[in-house]
Amino acid sequence: MAAEREARRLLSTSSSRRCCPTPLLLLLLLPRLLLSGAAAVRSGSPPQSAGASVRTFTPFYFLVEPVDTLSVRGSSVILNCSAYSEPAPKIEWKKDGTFLNLVSDDRRQLLPDGSLFISNVVHSKHNKPDEGFYQCVATVDNLGTIVSRTAKLTVAGLPRFTSQPEPSSSVYAGNSAILNCEVNADLIPFVRWEQNRQPLLLDDRIVKLPSGTLVISNVTEGDGGLYRCIVESGGPPKYSDEAELKVLQGPEEIPNLVFLMRPSSVIRVTGQSAVLPCVASGLPSPVIRWMKNEEVLDTESSERLVLLAGGSLEITDITEDDAGTYFCIADNGNKTIEAQAELTVQAPPEFLKQPANIYAHESMDIVFECEVTGKPTPTVKWVKNGDVVIPSDYFKIVKEHNLQVLGLVKSDEGFYQCIAENDVGNAQAGAQLIILEHDVAIPTLPPTSLTSATTDHLAPATTGPLPSAPRDVVASLVSTRFIKLTWRTPASDPHGDNLTYSVFYTKEGIARERVENTSQPGEMQVTIQNLMPATVYIFKVMAQNKHGSGESSAPLRVETQPEVQLPGPAPNIRAHATSPTSITVTWETPLSGNGEIQNYKLYYMEKGTDKEQDVDVSSHSYTINGLKKYTEYSFRVVAYNKHGPGVSTQDVAVRTLSDVPSAAPQNLSLEVRNSKSIVIHWQPPSAATQNGQIIGYKIRYRKASRKSDVTETLVTGTQLSQLIEGLDRGTEYNFRVAALTVNGTGPATDWLSAETFESDLDESRVPEVPSSLHVRPLVTSIVVSWTPPENQNIVVRGYAIGYGIGSPHAQTIKVDYKQRYYTIENLDPSSHYVITLKAFNNVGEGIPLYESAVTRPHTVPDPTPMMPPVGVQASILSHDTIRITWADNSLPKHQKITDSRYYTVRWKTNIPANTKYKTANATTLSYLVTGLKPNTLYEFSVMVTKGRRSSTWSMTAHGATFELVPTSPPKDVTVVSKEGKPRTIIVNWQPPSEANGKITGYIIYYSTDVNAEIHDWVIEPVVGNRLTHQIQELTLDTPYYFKIQARNSKGMGPMSEAVQFRTPKALGSAGKGSRLPDLGSDYKPPMSGSNSPHGSPTSPLDSNMLLVIIVSVGVITIVVVVIIAVFCTRRTTSHQKKKRAACKSVNGSHKYKGNCKDVKPPDLWIHHERLELKPIDKSPDPNPVMTDTPIPRNSQDITPVDNSMDSNIHQRRNSYRGLESEDSMSTLAGRRGMRPKMMMPFDSQPPQQSVRNTPSTDTMPASSSQTCCTDHQDPEGATSSSYLASSQEEDSGQSLPTAHVRPSHPLKSFAVPAIPPPGPPIYDPALPSTPLLSQQALNHHIHSVKTASIGTLGRSRPPMPVVVPSAPEVQETTRMLEDSESSYEPDELTKEMAHLEGLMKDLNAITTA
């Protein structure tokens, strides 16, 4: 939709501009429209925006559903229905499951809101076209269909009386009368009564029951008359027979109390009302009351229970709690009678849990949950897009009401509805299923409706390598209904510890596919269950890692085993105990053995446990020994034939025989009552050692003296204490107890002693306070010690110790009266406890003694540190990722982690000042550190933690990330004018803040048009360790724009923002053909902005001064021409000899082929790439400050180059590209396309130009003579010259030396050229002259202007004025001059130069005067 909206917007924009959409615009929009349409087709919905990869659930539901309706013949009926969706749904109607054709139906009409209107309802005995069940169906194209609840339309039939009032009846005054009038149930609402042919008004005394019967209570004389009931159902009314009611006065005999109408059982639906009729007659008049389930009903205070006339009970707004048995009791004082009726309450279906919307992928298993209640219990059916879902192998009803869909396919998408129905109503609830593409993650956490077999699909995937297909997929076990698959890890991940696997399987020939996932990572087997016997299945296995699902294995075809005939259950299985530790089990041969029985397997299990054991048996009986005594066991038997195990028998249970107890009673204690009695207390042995039912205990006691007799007492039953009386005063006795079973006496306890009192102490009062109390606090315990009360005449049964933090009442412990100390355990450290001690006896507790103590602080010894990880290694993966691996010596040799230890990796940049670490935890022996900075050295260390134990940090490992292209431009770019040289500027900058590697060079772009294409800008290459650069020969009073781009070994970074700089204006007007030279060091640029435009005079000159300047310029020009002519015509024999010698030297050192006769005049057409790229890689100065590389300055000085140059340009380009070195910046040229070459032909004639306000070009005749002279290098250019010379020496044989001269000397245009060494004749020596352009300046000597022609293949550009690059070195230049045929003696040249310098000094003196 977003693509369509964008297309409409662009098309409407083009239309508003009154132009047709261009083909280019349509071509750009076509892919977006195609992609949007394709997405719409895949999703089954209208095209969505490009960013929306997950479709949202569409609200689609009923606002109003039809309800059950009662109508009469000839009337009109509206069945309401309205559904909500965007877009609006299409509404249709079904009657009795069949769609209605409403187009051709005259009586049925579909209203705008979706409701169904039926006019003139038709109903007769044999024709009932309108009565039935109606259902509303709403459909949205490309989305789905939903159906409403079913509504029943009932049409009342013709009136028929099932009972009529009796023709004549009488009633005594004050009693109740009943007039029956029962019609068919549909017409009950249309029944009314008349008295004496007049409508009868109903009130509290006269009521009409739901059946139509009229009840009149407390009858008076006015109630007598003729009565009839009338049924009005739309047609002519139907009258019943008339009945006469007579009112009688005092009877002769007192009538008995009887029921005129008994309550009858009724069935009602929750929310409805029910009337339980009950009318009694008798004298005196009876009183009616009601009871429910033996509970009297209060009809006066209840809002829902109403006692109607005559005594009937009305219950409104019925709930399920109202169901039960109701009793109507009539009492007149003389007699009481009662009748009962049952009220049954039904409830329509109601959803406890409705289906929820589900996202899923194909091949998944899902479950729509639907929990419903109602009375009677509702039946549930499922509907998909309006069609009933028929249960099959892939659509199953599970847990009574839930719908399970196995192996989803795309066609399963849509709306599913759970429809619940019982006798009193129906209801529906729906949910939407959306099936996403496999590469789209499910947007939420696994909902409960997804089965456990498919929840692994829900993890969102990240980008990264995916696993290959699992290897060697085989079916290791094939049965009738299950198959076990095993496989090996993918080749892409041999370890596969973190891989999970999904097994996709389907029946052969069936398109629907299912999936089963492994239970844990690294598991390489799965068992597929619930298969069909003798069926072919196709299996594929797919591995998943954190990035997503990988390749699928080749399909594996497996056929399950056919169902075989297995044995039936063994009959007559019996078990009986043969001893306390053995049980014998017997059985018979199965009736349906289905072949020879090979053996039996006997399974047995102790009751209360879930561990079943088995034993193989070849006969029909077996005795199991070694069982526990008096323990219940269960047994079952399974018969085996050649096909396998058969059907198991039912379990039989039996208990082993009892035995004597195997342990003594527990917790034996003695209590001295007085001087002649002691009470013994004990607990029974543990249940596992009783070995039977304890039937009693045997107590044995004796005096502590050695030769005393032992007395024995028997205690029966479950008694756990015994009073021993008749003992001697002040005598010590020993006691022991043993338990008894029917099998005998078990072991006895150890002897326990107690001493009777010397005299009977007082126990009529509580003990006195203990005489002392001492506490000794520890960390988590307090030792309490005390002494008994000073008054020893009062019985002390024991001591009660109370303690707690701040209060002694939190806990209480009682100890024996003989005890004098106790240790209170499990206390909190560093806590203040209050302790009390009280002596007690049978009367009560005595006065407490208080003490307080503070527990000691908790000091935890430091756990023994673990061994730190070893062998930490850092493996560099990319510019921002390093993998850290290590080994753990505390692990086994296979380095498998089986406990809960984890590792902490920390890292930081390897800068001493940086102390801030970043950390991450890992549970494996490696960790992938991401988000690092490029070209940065990091240090890493690892520590291991297990519980409270940790190791120290391991030894550090270092790793430097790879370089990356600069991601930020050079910063702080500034442009300033060089002092004294207004046509020279200095560009300064700082390295990029995100260099991401060592900067190997910069490129300065500048142009006078900030909007020009980048390949039209002039470029200046600068070596990487320089941060400033000079650019000369700029046009005055012209705005320039500068950009800088940095480069490292990975490539070029982004360009900086354009910086504007306007060169200063000219200081004065110059004559024709003059230009502004660079001034000396004394020149100061103007501080104000009052400079006049370029070429305009800045101050009036005296006419005489102008004349002197013109004459001086003319004289100098003549002198220069003469000197050049002399230089070009003189040759000597000695020079020729030197030339031949030098030629041999050059051929030997530079390996050039050919002879000296092949030497061509200097070709000063300079490659633009050489000028741009050569200075980047080499630098003679380790800390240079500034470089000067004069190259073309503006595009206004350009004139076209004729075709004769084009061929030379192509030849030079091909030759040059073949000689490029790896260090050159040919990659830059390749990135921009073919960069233009810079060609600088020099003409010996000075250009002529008229004085104008703006720069212009004047052509001059072409010269056929070759120039042999170039500019002389000034000292200012020494740096660049030496730098280029060193570069050319290193690249000798690969590139030609390039001159590099900066014209700062007034006469540098007359310098002798440097002739390149002879090489292959790839240039045309007859270069045509190119018209040059001169710039206007002050009245100084005219400088010759060097021009460069910049052009690309197929296109020519005008030449631009440049300065010739500097010569390689002075020595090399001298050698070249000696090799030239036009060389001269240095002394002669020196003399001529000195003469010219003198003339210039004279000229300067004249101008300054």
Side-chain angles (χ1 to χ4, degrees), residues 160-407:
R160 294 192 306 274
F161 293 102
T162 57
S163 68
Q164 299 188 41
E166 296 180 2
S168 178
S169 61
S170 59
V171 61
Y172 291 101
N175 267 333
S176 299
I178 293 179
L179 299 174
N180 292 321
C181 179
E182 296 182 2
V183 296
N184 43 327
D186 299 339
L187 296 176
I188 290 176
F190 307 102
V191 173
R192 66 181 182 85
W193 283 86
E194 288 184 351
Q195 180 186 15
N196 299 325
R197 306 290 176 95
Q198 297 296 323
L200 179 64
L201 299 179
L202 303 179
D203 53 23
D204 294 340
R205 198 174 57 84
I206 303 175
V207 296
K208 184 187 73 172
L209 299 181
S211 62
T213 299
L214 184 67
V215 177
I216 305 173
S217 64
N218 195 16
V219 175
T220 63
E221 290 185 4
D223 296 327
L226 297 177
Y227 290 84
R228 66 177 180 179
C229 67
I230 307 167
V231 180
E232 295 176 328
S233 58
K238 185 170 184 179
Y239 300 92
S240 69
D241 296 337
E242 284 190 332
E244 182 181 4
L245 177 65
K246 299 178 181 179
V247 180
L248 306 178
Q249 300 298 327
E252 296 180 359
E253 296 181 3
I254 299 177
N256 293 328
L257 180 62
V258 295
F259 282 113
L260 299 180
M261 178 177 286
R262 291 176 174 270
S264 59
S265 297
V266 295
I267 299 175
R268 290 292 181 268
V269 180
T270 55
Q272 293 181 348
S273 298
V275 175
L276 298 177
C278 184
V279 181
S281 175
L283 289 178
S285 298
V287 177
I288 303 295
R289 55 189 176 89
W290 286 86
M291 295 180 63
K292 175 193 173 186
N293 299 335
E294 300 181 358
E295 179 183 350
V296 178
L297 297 180
D298 185 4
T299 57
E300 295 182 358
S301 60
S302 175
E303 296 180 355
R304 297 191 306 111
L305 302 178
V306 179
L307 198 61
L308 302 178
S312 298
L313 178 65
E314 181 181 22
I315 308 173
T316 61
D317 193 15
I318 289 178
T319 65
E320 293 189 26
D321 295 335
D322 294 328
T325 302
Y326 288 80
F327 298 88
C328 174
I329 302 173
D331 185 3
N332 64 354
N334 297 327
K335 186 179 180 180
T336 301
I337 59 174
E338 69 176 35
Q340 68 180 42
E342 192 77 21
L343 173 61
T344 302
V345 179
Q346 295 181 337
E350 183 178 355
F351 288 100
L352 301 178
K353 188 172 187 178
Q354 297 188 4
N357 295 332
I358 297 178
Y359 282 114
H361 291 139
E362 287 189 83
S363 303
M364 281 176 129
D365 299 344
I366 65 166
V367 174
F368 283 107
E369 296 182 345
C370 179
E371 189 173 348
V372 66
T373 184
K375 192 175 182 180
T377 302
T379 59
V380 170
K381 66 178 180 180
W382 284 85
V383 172
K384 177 204 168 189
N385 289 334
D387 297 326
V388 176
V389 175
I390 300 175
S392 64
D393 291 343
Y394 298 99
F395 288 85
K396 298 182 178 180
I397 304 298
V398 296
K399 294 183 180 179
E400 296 184 1
H401 300 151
N402 298 341
L403 175 65
Q404 183 181 37
V405 185
L406 305 178

Side-chain angles (χ1 to χ4, degrees), residues 261 270 550 552 614 624 637 655 730 850 926 1058 1121 1173 1239 1382:
M261 178 177 286
T270 55
S552 172
D614 61 83
I624 302 176
V637 176
R655 186 186 296 272
Y850 288 88
S926 65
V1121 171
L1173 302 175
M1239 299 169 292
S1382 57

Side-chain angles (χ1 to χ4, degrees), residues 983-984 1006 1018-1021 1029-1034 1078 1166 1171 1187-1193 1238 1240 1274 1276-1277 1280 1284 1299-1304 1308 1346 1348 1361-1366:
R983 295 177 60 211
T984 300
Y1006 64 94
V1018 182
I1019 64 173
E1020 291 274 356
H1029 185 70
Q1030 285 190 10
I1031 300 178
Q1032 302 179 1
E1033 295 298 315
L1034 299 180
D1078 283 348
I1166 298 175
L1171 203 60
T1187 62
D1188 295 340
T1189 309
I1191 59 175
R1193 300 296 179 240
M1238 297 182 60
M1240 295 175 286
D1274 66 334
E1276 190 177 334
S1280 296
L1284 284 172
H1300 189 149
V1301 179
R1302 224 177 283 104
S1304 59
K1308 62 184 177 182
K1346 293 76 182 173
V1362 299
V1363 179
V1364 180
S1366 60

